[in-house]
Amino acid sequence: TPIDASVVAFHRDREESLRMRGERVAGDSGRFQVVNPYTGAVVGSAAKASRSQVEQALLYAHAYRSPLSRYDRASILRRAAELLTQRAEEAAQLITAESGLSLQDSRYEIGRVLDVLGFGATEALRDDGQVFACDLTAQGRRRKVISMREPLLGVITAITPFNHPMNQVAHKVVPSIASNNRLVLKPSEKVPLSALWFADLLYEAGLPPAMLQVITGDPAEIAQTLITHPAVELVTFTGGVEIGKRIAQLAGYRRTVLELGGNDPLIVCEDADLTRAAQLAAQGSYRNSGQRCTAVKRILVQRSVADRFTDLLVEATEAWTYGDPFDARHAMGTVIDEAAARLLEERVESALQAGARLRCGHRRDGALLAPTVLDRVRPDMSLVLQESFGPISPVLSFDTIDEAIGLVNASRFGLSSGVCTDRMDWATRFAQELQVGTVNVWEVPGYRTELTPFGGIKDSGLGHKEGVQEAIKGYTQLKTFTLPW
Ligand code: NAD
């Protein structure tokens, strides 16, 4: 189906600029193009900032102190949510245009961004200060210690990945606004347009421009300044492990929040309702084209039910519609680009060479990949040893619960997990023994609310959490003062 003409007209030639010092500024280092992964058509272009422009943005932010009250900040976030509700379809189409995600996925993403804004508005109003009495012990005195949160003195640098072009940005920016900070955002160069669109929405809702600037460009030129400039107090990064660890090294004596890759399992035990488990496996593997840090990347099934489960998964997979992302009947669009699709195709091929069995899928057309199921996958195959960021369901078998736990914990990643069992003793063991940030019983690993704590351990992150509430804690200093009362 061809792309709807009005959509093409709307998204053609978006010639974007930087958002800095309250202005739209051309990049001193030129421009780069943004391409729709399905058609290969140019969707627009964005500015390449120079190092000196990054410095200017950071200094401008650093010099600003927000006078906004909690009420002001909550009002801005609520107003932004109203505007986004009115323009939800436009926003979803923009996400689809630059990422190739299906309209179904993009519309869902807008719902999540609305949740982030809503929770941000509520949290902006919440004062979590505590009062401690001091006359509690023999050494005690009649005093009170009072705690309060303050925004950082320095600037926050936020760097986001491509996989949720607007929601990843919302998760960095909204808590910063709620906590009265100043943030400079560098969105993924693969999907900069949704980030700029979202920033404009916030300015329109009343956000002072010094609280959010958006810098696009070539990471090789600007990333170092964004991370190491003396005005930067905190670097918050979501993306792959390799770059995350490089940032950790560069950042030196400043805070970092690193949300990195995942290799999340869905564990299916022999007592499980297999139809329900297969539905979860398909959703977890294929929604957002399998490009979620918490997508199901390995399915561990107890051997006694493995064949029956895999048949049901193949059925669910073959029913998963995919193709032109702008055709709203399709559940799934493309992955981010042809190079990513080719890499995934090669990993599947190499697993098949090494003895895995293809059950369905494994077809590629440009950046479009058929949802794919393989079984007889072994833990040492690169398909499951590394993070495979796409619509692939590799099925592995296990015999005992000990073995399943061992397989999960052998990974260098530790983000999230999903467990399909009704046995409380097994669910309890998984919750206690899996080395991950989250254990979801009867849900996909990606299940969360935008408010609740989220984040991984091991190579998936340093244990600092995101989610609106925890992000605000990470973005603030907890100061105490004491009084002679
Ligand atoms: P990526 O690591 O390639 O890029 C992420 C960001 O880093 C982009 O903005 C990119 O421009 C920037 N970048 C590139 N080189 C840099 C450098 N030298 N210094 C600083 N920044 C640099 O990730 P991606 O391909 O955009 O996203 C996919 C990855 O993100 C996957 O590994 C996925 O698991 C991970 N991810 C993690 C989470 C989480 O919350 N844990 C969520 C979503 C995605």
Side-chain angles (χ1 to χ4, degrees):
T1 326
I3 292 185
D4 182 281
S6 63
V7 171
V8 175
F10 167 65
H11 292 301
R12 194 168 36 212
D13 297 337
R14 287 179 81 91
E15 291 212 355
E16 277 297 359
S17 35
L18 310 174
R19 303 292 187 274
M20 54 182 286
R21 299 186 320 249
E23 292 164 18
R24 293 182 177 215
V25 178
D28 284 345
S29 296
R31 314 189 59 72
F32 62 98
Q33 286 190 328
V34 183
V35 171
N36 177 270
Y38 180 69
T39 59
V42 174
V43 182
S45 63
K48 274 192 191 166
S50 67
R51 220 168 279 160
S52 120
Q53 286 181 307
V54 173
E55 228 175 74
Q56 289 166 37
L58 291 170
L59 291 174
Y60 179 74
H62 196 257
Y64 181 81
R65 288 282 179 280
S66 165
L68 299 182
S69 67
R70 289 178 183 275
Y71 173 73
D72 295 336
R73 289 173 262 150
S75 302
I76 290 168
L77 294 171
R78 275 198 223 106
R79 175 80 186 123
E82 281 164 25
L83 292 172
L84 183 56
T85 304
Q86 289 159 16
R87 299 173 198 167
E89 191 56 22
E90 180 185 324
Q93 290 181 0
L94 182 56
I95 292 174
T96 292
E98 66 174 347
S99 69
L101 292 170
S102 72
L103 263 183
Q104 289 188 24
D105 282 331
S106 298
R107 288 173 181 159
Y108 186 73
E109 176 163 345
I110 297 304
R112 294 186 62 192
V113 176
L114 284 169
D115 285 356
V116 176
L117 287 165
F119 287 128
T122 315
E123 291 300 296
L125 297 179
R126 209 163 67 87
D127 186 346
D128 70 351
Q130 286 178 285
V131 181
F132 300 81
C134 299
D135 56 348
L136 305 180
T137 65
Q139 287 70 247
R141 303 211 192 130
R142 288 170 62 94
R143 291 186 73 80
K144 293 274 193 303
V145 175
I146 298 159
S147 72
M148 58 181 187
R149 274 185 198 284
E150 295 183 334
L152 301 181
L153 296 175
V155 178
I156 298 172
T157 283
I159 301 177
T160 50
F162 72 78
N163 66 323
H164 290 295
M166 206 173 288
N167 197 39
Q168 292 290 358
V169 168
H171 266 287
K172 304 289 187 205
V173 170
V174 170
S176 172
I177 297 169
S179 56
N180 234 350
N181 274 287
R182 297 94 77 223
L183 180 145
V184 172
L185 169 73
K186 196 213 73 63
S188 166
E189 60 277 18
K190 293 171 183 159
V191 292
L193 306 178
S194 306
L196 291 158
W197 190 96
F198 185 62
D200 290 345
L201 189 89
L202 289 162
Y203 302 141
E204 191 180 334
L207 184 70
M211 288 176 76
L212 171 64
Q213 296 173 86
V214 187
I215 295 293
T216 50
D218 180 0
E221 180 170 0
I222 57 176
Q224 174 126 0
T225 309
L226 280 165
I227 296 159
T228 60
H229 192 280
V232 175
E233 184 168 351
L234 181 151
V235 180
T236 174
F237 170 83
T238 300
V241 176
E242 199 189 320
I243 296 170
K245 287 191 174 176
R246 214 178 304 152
I247 289 175
Q249 276 184 337
L250 269 179
Y253 186 68
R254 52 170 67 73
R255 290 192 209 184
T256 53
V257 176
L258 303 170
E259 296 293 348
L260 310 183
N263 199 0
D264 290 355
L266 183 75
I267 302 174
V268 182
C269 298
E270 61 191 7
D271 68 301
D273 171 342
L274 297 180
T275 306
R276 187 176 167 203
Q279 284 301 330
L280 285 178
Q283 286 166 23
S285 298
Y286 311 138
R287 286 190 75 167
N288 222 58
S289 300
Q291 301 171 126
R292 299 186 69 186
C293 51
T294 51
V296 169
K297 304 207 175 90
R298 313 178 267 167
I299 302 170
L300 312 183
V301 191
Q302 207 152 12
R303 203 173 307 276
S304 52
V305 296
D307 284 342
R308 260 192 307 136
F309 167 82
T310 311
D311 289 345
L312 290 164
L313 175 59
V314 169
E315 226 173 88
T317 302
E318 284 173 339
W320 204 268
T321 51
Y322 73 101
D324 179 352
F326 271 108
D327 183 334
R329 289 168 305 181
H330 290 151
M332 195 176 86
T334 66
V335 295
I336 190 64
D337 53 28
E338 184 167 338
R342 280 184 188 277
L343 174 72
L344 292 162
E345 190 183 32
E346 279 163 27
R347 290 220 187 128
V348 170
E349 198 52 49
S350 112
L352 296 177
Q353 296 290 329
R357 178 171 64 166
L358 181 66
R359 296 297 307 273
C360 68
H362 192 34
R363 287 184 305 279
R364 186 184 64 77
D365 178 8
L368 193 65
L369 275 180
T372 298
V373 180
L374 300 86
D375 64 2
R376 300 183 187 164
V377 174
R378 289 194 317 272
D380 60 349
M381 294 176 175
S382 70
L383 183 68
V384 287
L385 209 51
Q386 290 167 286
E387 180 183 36
S388 293
F389 217 54
I392 298 168
S393 296
V395 180
L396 295 82
S397 303
F398 67 87
D399 289 302
T400 63
I401 299 303
D402 280 329
E403 194 187 341
I405 291 169
L407 276 170
V408 175
N409 292 349
S411 171
R412 67 189 179 104
F413 296 97
L415 191 54
S416 186
S417 60
V419 172
C420 301
T421 182
D422 290 321
R423 280 190 53 167
M424 199 58 188
D425 54 340
W426 288 352
T428 310
R429 281 201 63 193
F430 289 127
Q432 289 176 341
E433 294 176 44
L434 293 184
Q435 296 166 357
V436 292
T438 298
V439 178
N440 287 326
V441 178
W442 276 118
E443 249 309 346
V444 293
Y447 180 78
R448 59 185 290 199
T449 78
E450 313 304 314
L451 179 68
T452 44
F454 168 80
I457 55 171
K458 298 166 84 175
D459 268 5
S460 299
L462 290 174
H464 297 293
K465 298 277 181 178
E466 286 202 325
V468 172
Q469 197 171 86
E470 291 297 311
I472 287 175
K473 290 182 191 164
Y475 284 180
T476 46
Q477 337 260 19
L478 197 57
K479 182 188 268 180
T480 54
F481 67 106
T482 81
L483 292 170
W485 292 346

